[in-house]
Amino acid sequence: AVFSLIFFLVLSIYAQKTYQKTYFDNCDLKEEGWIKNTQKVDYWKFYYERGTLQKKGHFSEAKEIKYCYFYRKDGSKESEGHFVDGEKNKWWLFYDDRGIINHKCQLKDNQKNGYCFLYENKKIVKVEKYKAGKIIKEWTDYKSFKEENKLSDFQ
């Protein structure tokens, strides 16, 4: 009995990843992905109650990491971007309800921090610069923005 208990404890400590699916009360798939030591790891997908994909991306220790995609209930893409330790960071793309990019922004710790390009008809019509979520400068057209900024500013 002691050997069995020790064996079980060792197995629990070195638990392998398992694939998990959870469901809504109506039996529609709610989420699916990998679990290790009770935490979400690796690739996950989340769904709205009627089965449409809500978001997909990577996890580590139950926090979003790497690149993730978000969708509206109608299936159109809403946004996509980088996560670092569960926080939105780096460049993010945001889409209108037709699935066309309407702005592209640099984020840090879930807020705008850096440049934000606003689009109309797939063309940049305005550029804003943010620091810690607050707008600090704006250009009302792309030409004036380019005159003041070098491409190396975005590296």
Side-chain angles (χ1 to χ4, degrees):
V2 173
F3 175 75
S4 297
L5 181 60
I6 291 170
F7 181 74
F8 178 74
L9 289 173
V10 168
L11 228 110
S12 297
I13 292 169
Y14 297 103
Q16 295 297 313
K17 290 189 305 185
T18 57
Y19 200 79
Q20 175 181 303
K21 291 183 177 184
T22 59
Y23 296 86
F24 290 104
D25 289 340
N26 68 359
C27 298
D28 285 344
L29 185 59
K30 183 177 184 177
E31 60 185 19
E32 61 181 319
W34 293 96
I35 293 279
K36 185 173 183 179
N37 299 328
T38 71
Q39 294 189 330
K40 288 178 173 73
V41 296
D42 297 336
Y43 195 70
W44 274 80
K45 288 182 177 180
F46 300 83
Y47 300 90
Y48 290 105
E49 195 159 351
R50 297 287 173 231
T52 309
L53 186 62
Q54 182 180 25
K55 77 176 179 177
K56 62 183 178 179
H58 292 85
F59 282 77
S60 177
E61 298 177 0
K63 292 180 185 173
E64 289 151 317
I65 61 166
K66 298 182 183 177
Y67 209 82
C68 294
Y69 299 86
F70 294 80
Y71 301 88
R72 293 182 186 86
K73 285 186 177 182
D74 67 6
S76 64
K77 197 180 285 186
E78 185 174 34
S79 62
E80 63 182 277
H82 300 271
F83 276 93
V84 176
D85 202 26
E87 304 271 328
K88 292 177 180 177
N89 281 280
K90 302 180 186 178
W91 284 103
W92 274 75
L93 301 174
F94 300 90
Y95 297 86
D96 65 17
D97 56 6
R98 297 170 295 153
I100 298 170
I101 294 174
N102 63 16
H103 61 290
K104 176 182 179 178
C105 298
Q106 290 175 302
L107 301 178
K108 184 176 181 189
D109 301 330
N110 290 330
Q111 54 186 347
K112 292 177 182 176
N113 193 69
Y115 294 99
C116 193
F117 296 90
L118 288 82
Y119 294 80
E120 279 182 21
N121 299 319
K122 301 181 183 179
K123 293 188 191 274
I124 297 171
V125 294
K126 185 177 180 182
V127 181
E128 300 169 336
K129 188 171 184 181
Y130 288 83
K131 185 167 183 153
K134 293 187 169 90
I135 193 165
I136 57 172
K137 183 147 186 166
E138 68 181 324
W139 297 265
T140 54
D141 61 75
Y142 189 57
K143 184 180 180 212
S144 62
F145 169 77
K146 284 195 321 185
E147 288 171 359
E148 288 185 41
N149 296 275
K150 301 182 297 278
L151 187 58
S152 61
D153 292 341
F154 303 101
Q155 312 266 327

